[in-house]
Amino acid sequence: MTANATFTLTILSSQHGIDLGNFQLNGAQLGLPEGVPIAVRQQCLVGGKQQGSRLLTLMVGDKEIRVVPTRGMAILDVQRDQVRFGWDSPVTEVVHPSFINQESAGGLGWLDGFNEMLVRCGYQWAGHPGEDRGEFLTLHGRIQNTPADEVILEVDLTPPYQVRLRGRVDEKRFKFTNFALHTCLSAAPDSPYLEVEDTLYNLASYDNTYQAIYHNNFGTPILQPGARLHITGKQIAPFNEYAGTGLETWMTMPAPTQDFDEMVFNIEALADEEGTAYALLENADQTQGIEVAYAVDTLPVLTLWKNVDTREQGYVVGIEPGTSYAYNRRHQWDLGLVPTIPAKTSKVFKVRFGLFTSSQEVTASRDNIVRVQGNQTLCVKTEPTVQL
Amino acid sequence: MTANATFTLTILSSQHGIDLGNFQLNGAQLGLPEGVPIAVRQQCLVGGKQQGSRLLTLMVGDKEIRVVPTRGMAILDVQRDQVRFGWDSPVTEVVHPSFINQESAGGLGWLDGFNEMLVRCGYQWAGHPGEDRGEFLTLHGRIQNTPADEVILEVDLTPPYQVRLRGRVDEKRFKFTNFALHTCLSAAPDSPYLEVEDTLYNLASYDNTYQAIYHNNFGTPILQPGARLHITGKQIAPFNEYAGTGLETWMTMPAPTQDFDEMVFNIEALADEEGTAYALLENADQTQGIEVAYAVDTLPVLTLWKNVDTREQGYVVGIEPGTSYAYNRRHQWDLGLVPTIPAKTSKVFKVRFGLFTSSQEVTASRDNIVRVQGNQTLCVKTEPTVQL
Amino acid sequence: MTANATFTLTILSSQHGIDLGNFQLNGAQLGLPEGVPIAVRQQCLVGGKQQGSRLLTLMVGDKEIRVVPTRGMAILDVQRDQVRFGWDSPVTEVVHPSFINQESAGGLGWLDGFNEMLVRCGYQWAGHPGEDRGEFLTLHGRIQNTPADEVILEVDLTPPYQVRLRGRVDEKRFKFTNFALHTCLSAAPDSPYLEVEDTLYNLASYDNTYQAIYHNNFGTPILQPGARLHITGKQIAPFNEYAGTGLETWMTMPAPTQDFDEMVFNIEALADEEGTAYALLENADQTQGIEVAYAVDTLPVLTLWKNVDTREQGYVVGIEPGTSYAYNRRHQWDLGLVPTIPAKTSKVFKVRFGLFTSSQEVTASRDNIVRVQGNQTLCVKTEPTVQL
């Protein structure tokens, strides 16, 4: 025990031919001291378009984190205490990628499986579908519909009993793309935070461009009439003319609204001294909230996706740090939002979720955002960033 | 037994994580009295593009009904006595939807799996591939290549020992489609009928358009030289110029004919006092036949698909009640054949197959068709319904 | 034993519902005399996009042959003695066809799974993606992403203990294609050869065109600076202008070369008295080599694919006998390279791999090529075969 203070379990490995399938392990089986509230469970889903998907549930203290290795290590949702972090998409299945045709419906096939709290967009490209430089790009890239090759669980057997779930997802196309994404989710029993640290490797001998958007989505109970967004930012601009009409009320959330559809706002992030920017969605009485903190060195912009339509349509707000906005890539070259990953190098993306279930936690987060923003004004641009 | 006169078995449920896989149950295991000839069997298919498909066989009296839950609850074929109802497609596998790319070949990828007796087309759209209102529609919609989420068997334990197979198939796309189709097949040991009653739910908070075609296909032995079609109808018109050249002989079936390809005829249905229209394909000596009866409130038109080419090419006739003809949707708005399903409502589609294996049954069906048609003339239009 | 001198094992059969999954059999279990070095093993691959793929390994004497039934009976690679025949693609998974969308990236989705030594291109079409006669053709056709329906192992229990692996792969589309490909790989313990004999059946009642390219790919250790190609040929021409700049050095192989990309050369094959043409890739010191011999009656042309870019990009040479060159089909009609397969007939394709691991074997092959070429000059055309 002294020699090896971490329990390590290979849940899936294409290289080693390991695939645990349905299993569950409690704290004792993980080698933890009695009373440490950590457990893990995996289910092989069945039926419909979720046949073949895996759902991995990490129980870490008061948090229950559901991860989908089959869909690029997405986070389906998180429950902390009685509060659910995630949303209710009309898509209720955990759709297996083999049922997704991203080229369908003019490149919108990605929407057939869209229902998670954390959806990665990227990494060869992200954003809206369409032609760019002779290439047809489908909505939000391929990573979310790519199953992980490797899933490894690590549980520290000493306080603070950190739990890490590592994944590897390959995004490859001969002659075009040779990316490997290493994901790491981590959480500890006594912390309200869930951290995501992803490393994108360009294994090729050529530089390549890339894009990433961390499409984090939150619905009820936090999203409700009177819920508010707080951010640290340098500038906000509407995505298009329609969003321009909602610019004055971008912070406040209405009830589910027929015909609202979506308003999207583009934000230039403002970071604290450690390079971290923040966004907080708090409920109406400020007793629950979701904070998204992100490292701006690789994720310099934030997309707010205010999709406060009816519940059946998906009542949801996206808080989405990215290399880029949600436009098709062809619009982002001039914005300087199509970065390059040099040959044989890597890029790290850090996103931390604060899963707040008390007014103290929410207030502390809001106070910090006010502190970071300081006396820097959030510049409001009324013109859309791009004239579509 | 008195309290619960129906045996119910969940064969597949994505919600409850149930997937029975390979199994079989005989009458005793179903709780039926001795001698009641009902049994059920499911096979998980293997090999080629059918890997992962499920084939569910219901033995109900003299009928053996093979259903494919994985392909939208399609009916592969039915055998009654020694007569097979179905056809011989060059596609011999029960193709799993993950191997189908409906976008391929200009939207014709659906053809890669086409071989069943009952193939549902719909429900967001049906008909030929092509652009409509800025959307590219693939052949005959998505439902047939969507696996069921739920399959439930019900067997009444008292006469007439009705057997019902219920399925649920979701057709969803975030922001676009939020449909759930509930299917029900039913049959009883002593009846020549197989009934299909489908309910399409629009779960969205918005009205949507929809289309449905029940693409029912029949080959040998009923289809043979001298086989004849009888219908109840107000009007018949050729689908295109080529079909116009075969308008005079639309009722009669030739031998498999090299270079015939297909002729398609559009029929406005004529219903009886209960709202049911009829079509009968009888063999040459009128000893076997397949009757398709359908409720015209939701299925007002009938497509006859006379594909009497060579056996290797698929010698088959389609008797296809629908909301619409087989044209691309763009041609059907003006025909009034793109109905709307209001938000949070449902539509019911009823199709009944008469599986006739005696001249008495065939004659009774033909007589009924004559009765329903009465002295209403079937108006023959020589011009194609749409100028393509 | 006298009555039945061949061991036969059905490994996969869609028709009979047989799927052996993971298994292995040694010589004794195959019924072979002690000391005959033959064994077989199958693994069901897991993880990432290889979930569901099968990998079948034949150990035949000093050869270990890895076959992928799930990918059209491809040969992943062969090891003889310590020499590997195959290549290192950036695509490292044995990608299951359900994860391939051949329509993606303008018809280049095939590249997402490209990593085998023997990749079949065809049979409805082969070559580069693009429109031809109103049809959009994806790169290299569909067969490689089609799982086999039937896999049968035959082991002769008497010398020379020939091992045959038979497969059947269906390529079908209602109204368009009704092909069945029967593949046969064979090898014997004491022979350096691996033979491929494929039979393509056109089951339709109509003639059809077809194309085939046997995309055989070889990297290190044989491919190295100073490795050389020898061929029997009537004529060589560059595929395009870029290849024209490398025409003088087409035979010699450089080290992995940044920005080389690929040069492609088109060769009209020259056959010996038995109708066999030859190509040999030998390493720099002529101690190892791969010979590709092919029957020119059905494979009249040879494509040399010199993709000597960096290792990470895929340092590889393709030696590819075909009905056709690698152009899109629209360019090949005028070249007479779109053959017809009459209704209900078959075509046989023969390719033999010489897996040479000694200078004697290499020298004998080279000498034979010199003999077959005789005093017939290889005509060098400086203009590309097709002006693209």
Short mmCIF file of all heavy atoms in Angstrom, two decimals, chain A residues 123-127 132-133 209-213 235 239 266-269 296-303 320-341 349 385-386:
data_model
loop_
_atom_site.label_atom_id
_atom_site.label_comp_id
_atom_site.label_asym_id
_atom_site.label_seq_id
_atom_site.Cartn_x
_atom_site.Cartn_y
_atom_site.Cartn_z
N TYR A 123 -11.43 17.85 -33.58
CA TYR A 123 -10.37 18.82 -33.37
C TYR A 123 -9.78 19.26 -34.70
O TYR A 123 -9.03 20.22 -34.76
CB TYR A 123 -9.29 18.21 -32.47
CG TYR A 123 -9.75 18.17 -31.02
CD1 TYR A 123 -10.49 17.11 -30.51
CD2 TYR A 123 -9.50 19.25 -30.17
CE1 TYR A 123 -10.93 17.10 -29.18
CE2 TYR A 123 -9.93 19.25 -28.83
CZ TYR A 123 -10.65 18.18 -28.36
OH TYR A 123 -11.09 18.17 -27.07
N GLN A 124 -10.09 18.54 -35.78
CA GLN A 124 -9.63 19.03 -37.08
C GLN A 124 -10.38 20.31 -37.43
O GLN A 124 -9.82 21.20 -38.04
CB GLN A 124 -9.82 17.93 -38.13
CG GLN A 124 -9.36 18.31 -39.53
CD GLN A 124 -7.88 18.59 -39.60
OE1 GLN A 124 -7.06 17.70 -39.67
NE2 GLN A 124 -7.50 19.87 -39.58
N TRP A 125 -11.62 20.35 -37.05
CA TRP A 125 -12.41 21.57 -37.20
C TRP A 125 -13.56 21.53 -36.21
O TRP A 125 -13.90 20.47 -35.69
CB TRP A 125 -12.94 21.75 -38.63
CG TRP A 125 -14.03 20.78 -38.98
CD1 TRP A 125 -15.37 20.93 -38.78
CD2 TRP A 125 -13.87 19.48 -39.57
NE1 TRP A 125 -16.06 19.81 -39.20
CE2 TRP A 125 -15.15 18.91 -39.69
CE3 TRP A 125 -12.77 18.74 -40.01
CZ2 TRP A 125 -15.37 17.64 -40.23
CZ3 TRP A 125 -12.98 17.47 -40.54
CH2 TRP A 125 -14.26 16.93 -40.65
N ALA A 126 -14.17 22.69 -35.97
CA ALA A 126 -15.40 22.78 -35.19
C ALA A 126 -16.28 23.81 -35.90
O ALA A 126 -15.88 24.38 -36.91
CB ALA A 126 -15.11 23.18 -33.76
N GLY A 127 -17.46 24.04 -35.36
CA GLY A 127 -18.32 25.08 -35.93
C GLY A 127 -19.34 24.56 -36.92
O GLY A 127 -19.46 23.35 -37.14
N ASP A 132 -15.28 25.03 -46.75
CA ASP A 132 -14.15 25.92 -46.48
C ASP A 132 -12.94 25.41 -47.23
O ASP A 132 -12.52 24.27 -47.03
CB ASP A 132 -13.86 25.97 -44.98
CG ASP A 132 -12.65 26.87 -44.67
OD1 ASP A 132 -12.46 27.88 -45.39
OD2 ASP A 132 -11.92 26.56 -43.71
N ARG A 133 -12.41 26.24 -48.10
CA ARG A 133 -11.19 25.89 -48.85
C ARG A 133 -11.33 24.53 -49.53
O ARG A 133 -10.43 23.68 -49.47
CB ARG A 133 -9.98 25.89 -47.90
CG ARG A 133 -9.85 27.24 -47.18
CD ARG A 133 -8.57 27.38 -46.42
NE ARG A 133 -8.44 28.78 -46.00
CZ ARG A 133 -7.33 29.31 -45.51
NH1 ARG A 133 -6.25 28.58 -45.37
NH2 ARG A 133 -7.29 30.57 -45.16
N THR A 209 -3.79 22.73 -38.80
CA THR A 209 -4.67 23.61 -38.05
C THR A 209 -5.62 22.75 -37.23
O THR A 209 -5.79 21.56 -37.48
CB THR A 209 -5.49 24.52 -38.99
OG1 THR A 209 -6.23 23.70 -39.89
CG2 THR A 209 -4.56 25.45 -39.77
N TYR A 210 -6.22 23.36 -36.24
CA TYR A 210 -7.17 22.64 -35.41
C TYR A 210 -8.16 23.64 -34.85
O TYR A 210 -7.94 24.86 -34.89
CB TYR A 210 -6.44 21.88 -34.29
CG TYR A 210 -5.92 22.76 -33.19
CD1 TYR A 210 -6.60 22.92 -31.99
CD2 TYR A 210 -4.74 23.49 -33.38
CE1 TYR A 210 -6.12 23.76 -30.99
CE2 TYR A 210 -4.25 24.34 -32.38
CZ TYR A 210 -4.95 24.46 -31.20
OH TYR A 210 -4.48 25.31 -30.24
N GLN A 211 -9.24 23.13 -34.31
CA GLN A 211 -10.21 23.94 -33.59
C GLN A 211 -10.82 23.09 -32.48
O GLN A 211 -10.90 21.86 -32.60
CB GLN A 211 -11.34 24.43 -34.51
CG GLN A 211 -10.88 25.42 -35.56
CD GLN A 211 -12.06 25.95 -36.37
OE1 GLN A 211 -12.74 25.20 -37.04
NE2 GLN A 211 -12.29 27.25 -36.28
N ALA A 212 -11.22 23.75 -31.43
CA ALA A 212 -11.87 23.04 -30.31
C ALA A 212 -12.93 23.95 -29.71
O ALA A 212 -12.70 25.15 -29.53
CB ALA A 212 -10.85 22.66 -29.25
N ILE A 213 -14.09 23.37 -29.44
CA ILE A 213 -15.10 24.06 -28.65
C ILE A 213 -15.59 23.06 -27.60
O ILE A 213 -15.94 21.92 -27.95
CB ILE A 213 -16.29 24.55 -29.51
CG1 ILE A 213 -15.82 25.56 -30.57
CG2 ILE A 213 -17.37 25.17 -28.63
CD1 ILE A 213 -16.92 25.99 -31.55
N GLN A 235 -15.07 41.53 -24.21
CA GLN A 235 -15.99 42.03 -25.23
C GLN A 235 -17.06 40.98 -25.48
O GLN A 235 -16.80 39.78 -25.42
CB GLN A 235 -15.21 42.29 -26.52
CG GLN A 235 -16.08 42.87 -27.63
CD GLN A 235 -15.26 43.04 -28.91
OE1 GLN A 235 -14.41 43.94 -29.01
NE2 GLN A 235 -15.52 42.20 -29.87
N PHE A 239 -23.77 36.89 -32.35
CA PHE A 239 -23.35 35.97 -33.41
C PHE A 239 -23.95 36.38 -34.75
O PHE A 239 -23.31 36.27 -35.79
CB PHE A 239 -23.81 34.56 -33.05
CG PHE A 239 -23.40 33.49 -34.01
CD1 PHE A 239 -22.15 32.89 -33.93
CD2 PHE A 239 -24.28 33.06 -35.01
CE1 PHE A 239 -21.78 31.89 -34.82
CE2 PHE A 239 -23.91 32.05 -35.90
CZ PHE A 239 -22.65 31.47 -35.81
N ASN A 266 -20.86 35.99 -28.76
CA ASN A 266 -19.42 35.73 -28.86
C ASN A 266 -18.68 36.60 -27.84
O ASN A 266 -18.85 37.82 -27.84
CB ASN A 266 -18.90 36.10 -30.25
CG ASN A 266 -19.59 35.29 -31.34
OD1 ASN A 266 -20.02 34.17 -31.10
ND2 ASN A 266 -19.68 35.88 -32.52
N ILE A 267 -17.87 35.96 -27.03
CA ILE A 267 -17.19 36.68 -25.96
C ILE A 267 -15.69 36.49 -26.05
O ILE A 267 -15.21 35.36 -26.23
CB ILE A 267 -17.72 36.20 -24.59
CG1 ILE A 267 -19.16 36.71 -24.41
CG2 ILE A 267 -16.84 36.70 -23.44
CD1 ILE A 267 -19.94 36.00 -23.37
N GLU A 268 -14.97 37.62 -25.96
CA GLU A 268 -13.52 37.51 -25.80
C GLU A 268 -13.26 37.36 -24.31
O GLU A 268 -13.62 38.24 -23.52
CB GLU A 268 -12.83 38.77 -26.32
CG GLU A 268 -12.82 38.86 -27.83
CD GLU A 268 -12.08 40.10 -28.32
OE1 GLU A 268 -11.19 40.59 -27.58
OE2 GLU A 268 -12.41 40.58 -29.41
N ALA A 269 -12.61 36.28 -23.95
CA ALA A 269 -12.45 35.96 -22.54
C ALA A 269 -11.48 36.93 -21.86
O ALA A 269 -10.56 37.48 -22.48
CB ALA A 269 -11.94 34.53 -22.40
N VAL A 296 -7.31 30.30 -20.80
CA VAL A 296 -7.46 31.07 -22.04
C VAL A 296 -6.28 30.96 -23.00
O VAL A 296 -6.37 31.43 -24.13
CB VAL A 296 -7.72 32.57 -21.75
CG1 VAL A 296 -9.01 32.75 -20.96
CG2 VAL A 296 -6.53 33.20 -21.04
N ASP A 297 -5.19 30.34 -22.55
CA ASP A 297 -4.06 30.24 -23.50
C ASP A 297 -4.45 29.44 -24.73
O ASP A 297 -4.06 29.78 -25.84
CB ASP A 297 -2.82 29.65 -22.81
CG ASP A 297 -3.08 28.27 -22.22
OD1 ASP A 297 -4.25 27.93 -21.97
OD2 ASP A 297 -2.10 27.54 -22.02
N THR A 298 -5.23 28.39 -24.54
CA THR A 298 -5.68 27.61 -25.70
C THR A 298 -7.16 27.80 -26.00
O THR A 298 -7.61 27.42 -27.08
CB THR A 298 -5.41 26.10 -25.48
OG1 THR A 298 -6.00 25.72 -24.23
CG2 THR A 298 -3.92 25.80 -25.47
N LEU A 299 -7.90 28.35 -25.04
CA LEU A 299 -9.35 28.55 -25.24
C LEU A 299 -9.65 30.03 -25.03
O LEU A 299 -10.21 30.43 -24.00
CB LEU A 299 -10.14 27.68 -24.26
CG LEU A 299 -9.92 26.15 -24.37
CD1 LEU A 299 -10.57 25.42 -23.20
CD2 LEU A 299 -10.43 25.61 -25.70
N PRO A 300 -9.32 30.86 -26.00
CA PRO A 300 -9.38 32.30 -25.78
C PRO A 300 -10.77 32.92 -25.90
O PRO A 300 -10.96 34.05 -25.48
CB PRO A 300 -8.47 32.86 -26.87
CG PRO A 300 -8.54 31.85 -27.97
CD PRO A 300 -8.68 30.52 -27.28
N VAL A 301 -11.72 32.18 -26.45
CA VAL A 301 -13.04 32.78 -26.63
C VAL A 301 -14.12 31.90 -26.02
O VAL A 301 -13.92 30.71 -25.76
CB VAL A 301 -13.36 33.05 -28.12
CG1 VAL A 301 -12.34 34.02 -28.73
CG2 VAL A 301 -13.45 31.76 -28.92
N LEU A 302 -15.27 32.52 -25.80
CA LEU A 302 -16.39 31.83 -25.17
C LEU A 302 -17.64 32.08 -26.00
O LEU A 302 -17.94 33.21 -26.36
CB LEU A 302 -16.61 32.40 -23.76
CG LEU A 302 -17.73 31.75 -22.93
CD1 LEU A 302 -17.32 30.36 -22.47
CD2 LEU A 302 -18.07 32.62 -21.72
N THR A 303 -18.34 31.00 -26.28
CA THR A 303 -19.63 31.12 -26.95
C THR A 303 -20.73 30.89 -25.92
O THR A 303 -20.68 29.91 -25.17
CB THR A 303 -19.75 30.08 -28.08
OG1 THR A 303 -18.84 30.44 -29.13
CG2 THR A 303 -21.16 30.03 -28.64
N GLU A 320 -19.48 27.78 -23.60
CA GLU A 320 -18.61 27.02 -24.47
C GLU A 320 -17.28 27.70 -24.75
O GLU A 320 -17.14 28.46 -25.71
CB GLU A 320 -19.34 26.78 -25.79
CG GLU A 320 -20.78 26.32 -25.63
CD GLU A 320 -21.52 26.21 -26.96
OE1 GLU A 320 -20.85 26.14 -28.01
OE2 GLU A 320 -22.75 26.23 -26.94
N PRO A 321 -16.29 27.41 -23.93
CA PRO A 321 -14.95 27.93 -24.24
C PRO A 321 -14.41 27.26 -25.50
O PRO A 321 -14.67 26.07 -25.73
CB PRO A 321 -14.11 27.53 -23.03
CG PRO A 321 -15.03 26.90 -22.05
CD PRO A 321 -16.30 26.56 -22.74
N GLY A 322 -13.66 28.02 -26.28
CA GLY A 322 -13.15 27.43 -27.51
C GLY A 322 -11.93 28.15 -28.05
O GLY A 322 -11.58 29.24 -27.61
N THR A 323 -11.33 27.49 -29.00
CA THR A 323 -10.33 28.18 -29.82
C THR A 323 -11.03 29.17 -30.73
O THR A 323 -10.40 30.09 -31.25
CB THR A 323 -9.60 27.19 -30.74
OG1 THR A 323 -10.58 26.57 -31.59
CG2 THR A 323 -8.86 26.14 -29.95
N SER A 324 -12.32 28.96 -30.94
CA SER A 324 -13.02 29.58 -32.04
C SER A 324 -14.48 29.78 -31.65
O SER A 324 -14.97 29.20 -30.69
CB SER A 324 -12.98 28.67 -33.27
OG SER A 324 -11.72 28.04 -33.40
N TYR A 325 -15.15 30.59 -32.45
CA TYR A 325 -16.59 30.73 -32.30
C TYR A 325 -17.30 29.62 -33.07
O TYR A 325 -16.65 28.76 -33.68
CB TYR A 325 -17.03 32.12 -32.79
CG TYR A 325 -16.48 33.25 -31.94
CD1 TYR A 325 -15.78 34.31 -32.53
CD2 TYR A 325 -16.66 33.28 -30.55
CE1 TYR A 325 -15.28 35.36 -31.76
CE2 TYR A 325 -16.16 34.32 -29.77
CZ TYR A 325 -15.46 35.36 -30.38
OH TYR A 325 -14.96 36.37 -29.62
N ALA A 326 -18.61 29.68 -33.09
CA ALA A 326 -19.38 28.60 -33.70
C ALA A 326 -19.59 28.75 -35.20
O ALA A 326 -20.25 27.93 -35.82
CB ALA A 326 -20.74 28.48 -32.99
N TYR A 327 -19.02 29.77 -35.80
CA TYR A 327 -19.13 29.94 -37.25
C TYR A 327 -18.42 28.79 -37.97
O TYR A 327 -17.50 28.17 -37.43
CB TYR A 327 -18.46 31.24 -37.70
CG TYR A 327 -19.03 32.49 -37.11
CD1 TYR A 327 -18.32 33.21 -36.15
CD2 TYR A 327 -20.27 32.97 -37.51
CE1 TYR A 327 -18.82 34.38 -35.61
CE2 TYR A 327 -20.79 34.14 -36.97
CZ TYR A 327 -20.07 34.83 -36.01
OH TYR A 327 -20.57 35.98 -35.47
N ASN A 328 -18.80 28.61 -39.20
CA ASN A 328 -18.02 27.74 -40.06
C ASN A 328 -16.58 28.25 -40.11
O ASN A 328 -16.34 29.45 -40.04
CB ASN A 328 -18.61 27.70 -41.47
CG ASN A 328 -17.86 26.73 -42.38
OD1 ASN A 328 -16.87 27.10 -43.01
ND2 ASN A 328 -18.31 25.49 -42.43
N ARG A 329 -15.67 27.35 -40.27
CA ARG A 329 -14.25 27.71 -40.22
C ARG A 329 -13.89 28.80 -41.23
O ARG A 329 -12.98 29.60 -41.00
CB ARG A 329 -13.40 26.46 -40.45
CG ARG A 329 -11.94 26.65 -40.04
CD ARG A 329 -11.12 25.40 -40.31
NE ARG A 329 -11.07 25.08 -41.72
CZ ARG A 329 -10.58 23.96 -42.23
NH1 ARG A 329 -10.09 23.03 -41.42
NH2 ARG A 329 -10.58 23.74 -43.53
N ARG A 330 -14.60 28.85 -42.33
CA ARG A 330 -14.21 29.83 -43.36
C ARG A 330 -14.30 31.26 -42.85
O ARG A 330 -13.63 32.15 -43.37
CB ARG A 330 -15.06 29.66 -44.63
CG ARG A 330 -16.51 30.06 -44.49
CD ARG A 330 -17.26 29.96 -45.84
NE ARG A 330 -18.68 30.22 -45.67
CZ ARG A 330 -19.59 29.31 -45.33
NH1 ARG A 330 -19.23 28.05 -45.16
NH2 ARG A 330 -20.85 29.64 -45.18
N HIS A 331 -15.12 31.49 -41.83
CA HIS A 331 -15.26 32.83 -41.26
C HIS A 331 -14.22 33.12 -40.20
O HIS A 331 -14.15 34.25 -39.71
CB HIS A 331 -16.65 32.99 -40.64
CG HIS A 331 -17.77 32.85 -41.61
ND1 HIS A 331 -17.93 33.67 -42.71
CD2 HIS A 331 -18.79 31.95 -41.67
CE1 HIS A 331 -19.00 33.29 -43.39
NE2 HIS A 331 -19.54 32.26 -42.78
N GLN A 332 -13.46 32.13 -39.79
CA GLN A 332 -12.63 32.30 -38.60
C GLN A 332 -11.16 32.56 -38.91
O GLN A 332 -10.40 32.96 -38.02
CB GLN A 332 -12.78 31.07 -37.69
CG GLN A 332 -14.25 30.75 -37.46
CD GLN A 332 -14.63 30.48 -36.02
OE1 GLN A 332 -14.06 31.06 -35.09
NE2 GLN A 332 -15.60 29.61 -35.84
N TRP A 333 -10.77 32.36 -40.15
CA TRP A 333 -9.38 32.66 -40.50
C TRP A 333 -9.08 34.14 -40.25
O TRP A 333 -8.07 34.48 -39.62
CB TRP A 333 -9.11 32.32 -41.96
CG TRP A 333 -9.33 30.88 -42.33
CD1 TRP A 333 -10.46 30.34 -42.89
CD2 TRP A 333 -8.42 29.78 -42.14
NE1 TRP A 333 -10.31 28.98 -43.08
CE2 TRP A 333 -9.05 28.61 -42.63
CE3 TRP A 333 -7.13 29.66 -41.61
CZ2 TRP A 333 -8.45 27.35 -42.62
CZ3 TRP A 333 -6.52 28.40 -41.61
CH2 TRP A 333 -7.18 27.28 -42.09
N ASP A 334 -9.99 34.98 -40.73
CA ASP A 334 -9.76 36.42 -40.59
C ASP A 334 -9.86 36.88 -39.14
O ASP A 334 -9.32 37.92 -38.78
CB ASP A 334 -10.78 37.20 -41.43
CG ASP A 334 -10.50 37.07 -42.92
OD1 ASP A 334 -9.39 36.58 -43.27
OD2 ASP A 334 -11.37 37.45 -43.72
N LEU A 335 -10.55 36.11 -38.33
CA LEU A 335 -10.66 36.44 -36.90
C LEU A 335 -9.44 35.95 -36.11
O LEU A 335 -9.33 36.21 -34.92
CB LEU A 335 -11.93 35.81 -36.30
CG LEU A 335 -13.27 36.21 -36.92
CD1 LEU A 335 -14.41 35.40 -36.30
CD2 LEU A 335 -13.53 37.70 -36.75
N GLY A 336 -8.57 35.23 -36.79
CA GLY A 336 -7.40 34.69 -36.10
C GLY A 336 -7.75 33.54 -35.18
O GLY A 336 -7.03 33.25 -34.22
N LEU A 337 -8.84 32.84 -35.48
CA LEU A 337 -9.32 31.79 -34.59
C LEU A 337 -9.20 30.39 -35.19
O LEU A 337 -10.00 29.49 -34.90
CB LEU A 337 -10.77 32.09 -34.17
CG LEU A 337 -10.96 33.39 -33.37
CD1 LEU A 337 -12.43 33.59 -33.02
CD2 LEU A 337 -10.12 33.41 -32.10
N VAL A 338 -8.21 30.23 -36.08
CA VAL A 338 -7.90 28.89 -36.58
C VAL A 338 -6.43 28.62 -36.24
O VAL A 338 -5.54 28.83 -37.07
CB VAL A 338 -8.14 28.77 -38.10
CG1 VAL A 338 -7.97 27.32 -38.54
CG2 VAL A 338 -9.53 29.27 -38.47
N PRO A 339 -6.17 28.18 -35.04
CA PRO A 339 -4.78 28.03 -34.61
C PRO A 339 -4.09 26.84 -35.29
O PRO A 339 -4.74 25.97 -35.87
CB PRO A 339 -4.90 27.81 -33.11
CG PRO A 339 -6.26 27.23 -32.91
CD PRO A 339 -7.13 27.84 -33.97
N THR A 340 -2.78 26.83 -35.16
CA THR A 340 -1.96 25.77 -35.72
C THR A 340 -1.35 24.93 -34.60
O THR A 340 -0.92 25.48 -33.58
CB THR A 340 -0.85 26.38 -36.59
OG1 THR A 340 -1.46 26.94 -37.76
CG2 THR A 340 0.18 25.33 -37.01
N ILE A 341 -1.34 23.64 -34.80
CA ILE A 341 -0.62 22.75 -33.89
C ILE A 341 0.57 22.21 -34.66
O ILE A 341 0.41 21.46 -35.63
CB ILE A 341 -1.56 21.65 -33.32
CG1 ILE A 341 -0.79 20.72 -32.39
CG2 ILE A 341 -2.27 20.86 -34.41
CD1 ILE A 341 -1.68 19.82 -31.53
N PHE A 349 -5.92 21.59 -23.08
CA PHE A 349 -7.16 22.34 -22.86
C PHE A 349 -7.65 22.04 -21.44
O PHE A 349 -7.80 20.87 -21.07
CB PHE A 349 -8.24 21.91 -23.85
CG PHE A 349 -7.78 21.98 -25.28
CD1 PHE A 349 -7.35 20.84 -25.95
CD2 PHE A 349 -7.73 23.20 -25.96
CE1 PHE A 349 -6.91 20.90 -27.26
CE2 PHE A 349 -7.30 23.26 -27.27
CZ PHE A 349 -6.88 22.11 -27.92
N THR A 385 -20.24 39.71 -35.04
CA THR A 385 -18.81 39.51 -35.31
C THR A 385 -18.57 39.25 -36.79
O THR A 385 -17.60 39.73 -37.38
CB THR A 385 -18.30 38.30 -34.48
OG1 THR A 385 -18.72 38.47 -33.13
CG2 THR A 385 -16.79 38.18 -34.55
N VAL A 386 -19.45 38.47 -37.37
CA VAL A 386 -19.36 38.14 -38.80
C VAL A 386 -20.69 38.47 -39.44
O VAL A 386 -21.75 38.20 -38.88
CB VAL A 386 -19.04 36.63 -38.98
CG1 VAL A 386 -19.22 36.20 -40.43
CG2 VAL A 386 -17.63 36.32 -38.49
#
